Amino acid sequence: MSEPRPVALVTGVGRPQGIGAGIVRVLARDGWDLAVSRWEPADAAIFGADAALRLDTVIADARAAGARVVDVPVDLERPDAAASLFSHVAAELGEVTALVLSHAWDVESGILDTTIDEFDRHFAVNTRASWLLIAEFARQAASGGAIVALTSDHTTGNMPYGASKGALDRIVISAAKELGPKRISANVLNPGPIDTGWMTPDIRTSLTAMQPSGRLGTPADIAELIGFLVSSRGRWVTGQLLTADGGFSISI
């Protein structure tokens, strides 16, 4: 009889070309069962009404790779969302041993034009929800596990997003120390600019010129590293803010 597949919860799986979808593909291939969360109104507000088009093919491909998949729409701005999400996943799949935080609210604004409502929304989704998800994960992870959160250093001209991600960095690194005795690793990963469909031709050209390899990163590039970090081989890496951007940050 084959060993049961471990369970990973991946947030922010709202678009077929997104990083979250790339993570789902890799983890399904690597032998994980998957709970995925998304909130279609948020994705539509940021990326347009067709953001989730063909997302069902990502879920279907994961199932074809042998994964059990639970798709849970949830508004992470709600304070009760994390507890509700983990309760649902526990009932369907059991204990979660990997938590990958790839969700984000991202509406660009700066110091002078950010509204209080937008500032609060960024922190509610990107920071508070991530803390609550990490806490719920730790409470149920009797077998230990791994946390990976995606971050960004895009702050100038995008202040509430960058600030909320900076706070997330500190939370995750703190979790590595606090949750280490529970055999939980925790890392933050900065992927740099990934071409997930949001770039205009001019942006794509200028960012490609800044990549030493001459190409932009893809969701698969990031997903492969996450696959390692959440595996038993990668658990010795913890408490790190990792940059995996193909050399973009050394070219700025």
Side-chain angles (χ1 to χ4, degrees):
M1 186 173 179
S2 61
E3 288 290 319
R5 295 167 68 107
V7 178
L9 169 57
V10 184
T11 65
V13 186
R15 300 186 304 131
Q17 69 271 51
I19 295 176
I23 295 165
V24 165
R25 293 185 181 98
V26 166
L27 293 186
R29 180 204 68 194
D30 287 352
W32 292 81
D33 285 336
L34 293 156
V36 300
S37 79
R38 59 195 173 90
W39 188 237
E40 193 166 333
D43 291 317
I46 296 172
F47 298 107
D50 294 334
L53 196 64
R54 294 186 298 279
L55 183 63
D56 56 338
T57 63
V58 177
I59 305 299
D61 288 347
R63 287 177 173 146
R68 293 183 299 160
V69 183
V70 175
D71 180 13
V72 189
V74 61
D75 180 5
L76 291 176
E77 191 174 357
R78 291 185 3 240
D80 65 342
S84 174
L85 178 56
F86 267 93
S87 177
H88 185 96
V89 174
E92 296 288 333
L93 297 176
E95 180 185 345
V96 177
T97 54
L99 173 63
V100 183
L101 302 172
S102 64
H103 68 275
W105 179 253
D106 181 8
V107 176
E108 293 193 4
S109 60
I111 295 289
L112 299 180
D113 60 344
T114 295
T115 66
I116 290 174
D117 284 347
E118 274 302 319
F119 186 89
D120 288 348
R121 183 172 292 111
H122 279 82
F123 272 81
V125 176
N126 300 345
T127 311
R128 184 184 68 195
S130 297
W131 155 52
L132 293 171
L133 287 163
I134 289 168
E136 291 294 333
F137 172 75
R139 291 187 184 104
Q140 59 86 65
S143 305
I147 299 163
V148 181
L150 294 180
T151 192
S152 173
D153 54 13
H154 183 199
T155 302
T156 303
N158 202 11
M159 185 273 292
Y161 174 74
S164 63
K165 286 291 190 176
L168 170 64
D169 298 349
R170 299 300 99 191
I171 290 170
V172 175
I173 291 171
S174 177
K177 184 173 179 64
E178 184 175 340
L179 303 179
K182 293 174 67 71
R183 292 176 295 135
I184 294 173
S185 64
N187 294 286
V188 194
L189 177 60
N190 185 342
I194 300 297
D195 189 4
T196 63
W198 60 271
M199 297 180 186
T200 65
D202 286 345
I203 290 173
R204 188 175 293 108
T205 298
S206 63
L207 292 180
T208 301
M210 297 173 70
Q211 292 285 11
S213 65
R215 74 168 179 88
L216 291 170
T218 67
D221 292 322
I222 305 310
E224 293 289 356
L225 179 53
I226 290 174
F228 169 73
L229 291 172
V230 301
S231 74
S232 60
R233 306 184 312 279
R235 301 287 178 85
W236 190 240
V237 181
T238 191
Q240 303 303 304
L241 200 171
L242 304 166
T243 297
D245 62 5
F248 175 80
S249 55
I250 62 173
S251 302
I252 295 176

